[in-house]
Amino acid sequence: MAAANAPPRASSAQTRAEKPESRFGLETDILWPFFPGATRTHVTAKLWQKGQLRGDVYAGVNVDFPQDRETEGRFADYSVASGYRQYVWRGLHAEFSQTTGLGVLQDHVTTGKTYNSFDWLMSGYVGYKYQFPGRKLYIVPQFGIARVVYKANPWPIFEDKTLTRQVGETPFPLGALRLGYSF
């Protein structure tokens, strides 16, 4: 008869809904090592939350592995990344990020020179954070656009492999697939 007087048990869905979400996360991009040949890993922190609205900040490192670019030369980048992610509904969010660091171009296709440059890149994304049920793992697919906004030591960038028309830095589309762990 003791069971008749016991309070009702909450369902596992109710328990998950009442359990506060972790404040911190560790994310790494699982797409970038294959395309475009880079890696980004960062730590996230919940800055604020009011209902479904939430703001996260993050900081980490970004490395573009050395690779040949047919209209430039052999490029690599070593930088720090920071950003802000604004959630608007469940996992749906918009994100602004920037990276600053050393861009290195060796053996330029026309000058043959090496260029070391302090570079600043800005990007914007939209995406969705999917938290696996009952797990601390999550995945964040994103799509966006990026542009190098400052280059301390610019080098010639050409339109195509004919190397006849210089175009400089232009915006480019960017996708990400970040795997995360909440703690």
Side-chain angles (χ1 to χ4, degrees):
M1 291 302 239
N5 294 332
R9 281 184 75 177
S11 72
S12 62
Q14 286 174 319
T15 304
R16 274 195 308 269
E18 294 168 5
K19 186 175 162 183
E21 189 174 349
S22 299
R23 180 173 166 83
F24 298 101
L26 178 66
E27 297 178 358
T28 190
D29 201 293
I30 59 176
L31 173 65
W32 283 12
F34 306 103
F35 182 79
T39 185
R40 175 180 282 185
T41 300
H42 54 251
V43 174
T44 65
K46 180 176 16 174
L47 191 59
W48 66 275
Q49 184 166 1
K50 184 173 181 176
Q52 298 258 344
L53 294 176
R54 172 179 165 172
D56 287 0
V57 294
Y58 64 82
V61 295
N62 186 79
V63 175
D64 285 9
F65 305 121
Q67 61 183 331
D68 292 327
R69 294 181 173 179
E70 65 180 13
T71 63
E72 295 176 60
R74 187 159 184 81
F75 177 76
D77 178 76
Y78 311 95
S79 54
V80 293
S82 62
Y84 178 79
R85 188 178 294 160
Q86 176 64 56
Y87 291 91
V88 293
W89 179 74
R90 297 189 183 208
L92 185 63
H93 63 268
E95 180 177 305
F96 168 78
S97 68
Q98 63 89 39
T99 61
T100 55
L102 177 64
V104 178
L105 186 84
Q106 296 176 320
D107 195 24
H108 188 272
V109 293
T110 59
T111 68
K113 293 180 182 178
T114 293
Y115 296 82
N116 292 316
S117 178
F118 174 80
D119 296 346
W120 183 19
L121 178 135
M122 291 186 169
S123 56
Y125 297 93
V126 293
Y128 190 86
K129 177 181 177 182
Y130 175 76
Q131 191 88 31
F132 292 105
R135 306 263 189 242
K136 292 187 173 248
L137 288 176
Y138 60 90
I139 195 154
V140 183
Q142 297 177 312
F143 300 95
I145 191 161
R147 185 174 198 284
V148 174
V149 295
Y150 177 76
K151 203 176 238 352
N153 186 16
W155 52 79
I157 301 172
F158 295 94
E159 179 179 54
D160 57 29
K161 59 185 173 183
T162 63
L163 308 176
T164 55
R165 183 171 174 254
Q166 286 190 37
V167 292
E169 295 288 350
T170 58
F172 55 93
L174 196 57
L177 185 58
R178 299 184 179 144
L179 180 64
Y181 179 79
S182 300
F183 59 95

